[in-house]
Amino acid sequence: MNDSRGRMPPAHNEPVASYAQGTAGRAALIKALDEALAHQVEIGPIIGGREIRTGRTLQMRRPDDHARLLGICHLGGGAEAGAAIEAALAARHDWAATPWEERAAVFRRAAELIAGKYRYWLLAATMLGQSKTPHQAEIDAVCESADFLRFNPVFMEGIYADQPLSTQDEWNRLSYRPLEGFVFALSPFNFTSIAANLPTAPAMMGNVVVWKPASTALYSNWLLMKIYEEAGLPPGVINFLPGSGSAISEPIFAHRDFAGLHFTGSTKVFNSLWKLAADNLSSYRAYPRIVGETGGKDFIFLDPSADKKVAITAILRGAYEYQGQKCSAASRLYIPSSFGRDFIDELVAEIGSIPMGRVDNLTNFCGAVIDETAFDGMKPWIDRARHSPEASILAGGVCDKSMGYFIQPTLIGTTNPRYETMETELFGPILTSYVYDDKDMEAAYRLVDGTSPYALTGAIIANDRHAIVKALSAFRGSAGNLYVNDKPTGAVVGRQPFGGARGSGTNDKAGSPLNLLRWVSAQAIKENFNPPEDWRYPFMAP
Ligand code: NAD
C-alpha cells in the first residue's frame, strides 16, 4: 500500500501529424491501410473480459467502396446485455475500491498505446470503416482519443482535491463515490474519440459500464476496447456490446441497477431513451444520471466586416469536412446582402473544386457518407430544393451510390430563412445559405438565434470589434461552442470543452470536469475532534 498522495503527470494535446508526401507517418499509414484491406477481421462482444461469438453477424464494409468487406462482427442482443450487466456488477466492488491513481494509470497507458503502438491500425480502421480522410481520422481517432484519456485523469484529480472548509477541531471531507449500479454508454458512428470517451469517462471515476457502439463504427471501436484491455483494464469494468440499440436497451433500462446513461447521438433517440428511463423510474435504486450530447443545426454568420478568404475557408472546412457528418458541422450560412453576387460565385467555385472519392486516395478532401440509410435519407432534401420556388442548388447536388455512398458537397441557396433545410439537421455535406439584409443587423441576429431548436455550435466571421461584441451577446444562448473567425468544428480537449444546450443536449461538456462530475455521487463526511459532552446550550441557563 502506498500512502503518498499521487500527482498526475501533466497532460498535453497529441500533436497532429500531417501525413504530407515524404513523411514517415504517411508511409506507415499506407502500410496499415494495405494490411487492413488484406486481412479481414472477425470480432464480437467482449463481456467480462471474454470475446464471444454469437453467430448472428454483421458485415463491416467500406462506406466509400461498399463491395469491399473489412470483416464480420458478431452481434449481441437481450441475453448478452443481461450477461454484460452481470459482468459489470461483478467487477463493481473491486474497481470502485481501486485507488484513483491506479484507475488513471490504466487510461494514461491506453492513451500512449493509441498515440504509439496502435496509431496506424486505429487510423486505418477509422478511415476505412467510417470513410475519414487521414487528417480527419488523425484529429479524431488518434489525437482526440488520446487527449480524452490524458486530460480526464487530470480533471479527475482536481475533482477529488476539491474539498470543503474545515476548522481546527472539525474535519470536513467530500467522498466522490461512483454511482450505485452500472452506466450505459451509447456511442455514435461519427467520432472514434467519442466512442473512446463515453465508456471511459464514467469508468475512470470508478464506475462499471456496458458500452454499445454504433453499428457503422464497429472496427475502430472494437480496437479501442482491445487497447483498454492491453492497458490493464480489469475484466468487466467496460463491456463492449455491439448489436441493435433497441434490443440491448430493453434489459438495460429495466434493470434496478441502471445508474446512468452516457449518450451521444441524435436528439430523437436520446429523447426516446430519456422517456424509457422515466417510465422505469420507480424501479431504480437511485435517480439515474442522464447525460446526452445530441443534434445540431450549426451556423456561420458572416458580418459585413468579414474577411472573405477567412469566411470561405471556414465555410468549406466547417461544412464539408467529414462530409458534414459532425454534430458541429455548419449547415446554415448567413451572408450579408452587401457581399453581392461575386462572393457567392467565388464560394460556389471553391466548393466545386473539392476533391471527393475513396479516402485511401490521399488527394481527396471528402469521402462517402456513412451508409445507404444516410445516403437515401439525404437525397430527397436535395431533390426537393432543386424543384422548390424558394430554393436552388448553387453547388454540388449530385448523389451516386454505385461504388460508395457519395454525395457531392452541396450548397443550397434559399430566399426563405425558415426553409426546411435551414431548420432540420440533415447530417451530411449540405449547407444552406440565406442572404440577410445588413441594414437591420438586430433582425439578422434574431433570425440566427430563433431558427432551429438546437444550440450546439456557431461561428461569427467579422473584423469589426463592435460587431463581434454585439454578435457574442446576441448568440449567448444560440450555441454551446461559439467561434470567432474560425470554423464551428474541431473542438480540442482541454481547450474548448464541448457540448450544446436546447435540443443539442444536456451540455455536460465532454473533456472537462463538468462531465466527470456527473459520474460521481458525493458523500459529505464531518468528523468532530472535540465532540460536546453536554446536550444543554448556554442560553438555557436560568
Ligand atoms: P444515432 O442516434 O442514430 O445513434 C447513436 C447510438 O444510439 C448508436 O449506438 C445507435 O446504435 C444507438 N441507437 C439508435 N437507435 C436506438 C434506439 N432506438 N435505442 C437504443 N439505441 C439506439 O446517431 P448517429 O447516427 O450514430 O450519430 C449522428 C447523430 O449524433 C447526429 O444527430 C449528431 O448531431 C449527433 N452527434 C452529436 C454530438 C454532440 O456532441 N452533440 C457528437 C456526435 C454526434
Side-chain angles (χ1 to χ4, degrees), residues 184-191 194 198 211-217 221 241 243-250 253 261 263-270 272-273 276 292-298 324-329 370-371 374 425-427 454 456-457 498-500 503-506 510:
F184 184 34
L186 254 176
S187 54
F189 77 84
N190 64 335
F191 276 91
I194 296 178
L198 294 191
W211 166 31
K212 196 209 87 64
S215 299
T216 37
N221 287 199
L241 187 55
S244 142
S246 47
I248 288 171
S249 293
E250 220 180 280
F253 282 85
L261 171 67
F263 176 85
T264 299
S266 61
T267 304
K268 187 166 150 250
V269 172
F270 184 54
S272 73
L273 297 175
L276 201 54
E293 294 302 330
T294 59
K297 191 67 196 170
D298 311 300
Q325 299 172 116
K326 300 187 183 188
C327 49
S328 53
I370 192 71
D371 63 5
E425 183 187 49
L426 307 183
F427 218 59
Y454 301 105
L456 190 53
T457 73
F498 189 78
S504 292
T506 53

Side-chain angles (χ1 to χ4, degrees), residues 415-478:
T415 51
N416 173 7
R418 310 297 299 244
Y419 182 67
E420 59 179 12
T421 59
M422 289 295 276
E423 295 195 332
T424 314
E425 183 187 49
L426 307 183
F427 218 59
I430 304 171
L431 174 69
T432 306
S433 62
Y434 172 74
V435 176
Y436 71 89
D437 179 359
D438 49 18
K439 288 199 277 310
D440 190 353
M441 294 300 288
E442 293 302 325
Y445 294 151
R446 279 197 301 278
L447 201 56
V448 174
D449 181 61
T451 294
S452 102
Y454 301 105
L456 190 53
T457 73
I460 306 155
I461 312 291
N463 275 337
D464 175 342
R465 199 70 225 177
H466 289 304
I468 293 172
V469 171
K470 278 190 196 149
L472 284 175
S473 162
F475 301 152
R476 190 146 190 255
S478 323

